[in-house]
Amino acid sequence: EIVAAATLFSATVLLAALLHAAALGAQGLQLGRDDLAPREVRRAFPRWQGWIGASVHSMAEAGDARREGADYLLAGPVYSTRSHPDRSALGPAFVTEVAKLGLPVVAIGGITPERCPDLRDAGAWGAAAISALWQAPDPAQAAMAFLSAWTEPS
């Protein structure tokens, strides 16, 4: 359902588990730093045709992920976040720096609809949210707020 709904709004669904991503028809897979490298995933699962992204928390990690064949970078935490209280917020300037590597950048960490225009202006290709969606009284309405904020002109 979510992939079909996202298509109506030209949104992309990226999941963190290959089997879920493949089974649900998601457009992409997001790998953590402790997962296989993108090239290794492609070698092990040659039928996977979606995007493969990597989570990055520094410019060094971003460069490594690019060299390892990532199609996009999930960069953060951009803002302070309860899901990773041990990590310092890197700020929108980090998104700008990572975007200079030439890959699409998805910002994550403390993302709210109000912050989306600034992230888009900083060079983000997209934004990912966890708490803002999972903890919302109406997750579908929260997702629509993100889509609206992302597509509104600055």
Side-chain angles (χ1 to χ4, degrees):
E1 275 181 51
I2 193 165
V3 174
T7 306
L8 296 172
F9 299 96
S10 298
T12 301
V13 176
L14 309 169
L15 299 175
L18 179 61
L19 295 178
H20 291 135
L24 296 173
Q27 292 92 346
L29 166 68
Q30 178 263 320
L31 302 171
R33 291 307 304 160
D34 296 329
D35 293 332
L36 294 173
R39 279 194 188 98
E40 294 169 351
V41 171
R42 285 193 182 89
R43 217 170 300 144
F45 301 94
R47 290 171 35 160
W48 172 254
Q49 297 298 311
W51 288 28
I52 299 177
S55 293
V56 299
H57 310 95
S58 69
M59 285 306 296
E61 288 180 3
D64 289 347
R66 184 173 182 257
R67 284 186 292 281
E68 293 167 355
D71 298 314
Y72 71 94
L73 303 171
L74 188 78
V78 178
Y79 303 101
S80 295
T81 176
R82 288 176 290 185
S83 60
H84 293 292
D86 56 321
R87 294 196 179 266
S88 298
L90 300 168
F94 178 64
V95 172
T96 300
E97 288 304 307
V98 173
K100 290 178 183 176
L101 293 175
L103 295 177
V105 176
V106 176
I108 192 167
I111 308 301
T112 63
E114 296 77 22
R115 291 174 167 163
C116 284
D118 289 340
L119 294 169
R120 187 187 58 227
D121 293 347
W125 176 81
I130 299 171
S131 300
L133 296 173
W134 288 111
Q135 296 175 1
D138 183 345
Q141 184 178 19
M144 293 304 297
F146 274 94
L147 284 169
S148 271
W150 192 265
T151 57
E152 288 176 5
S154 298

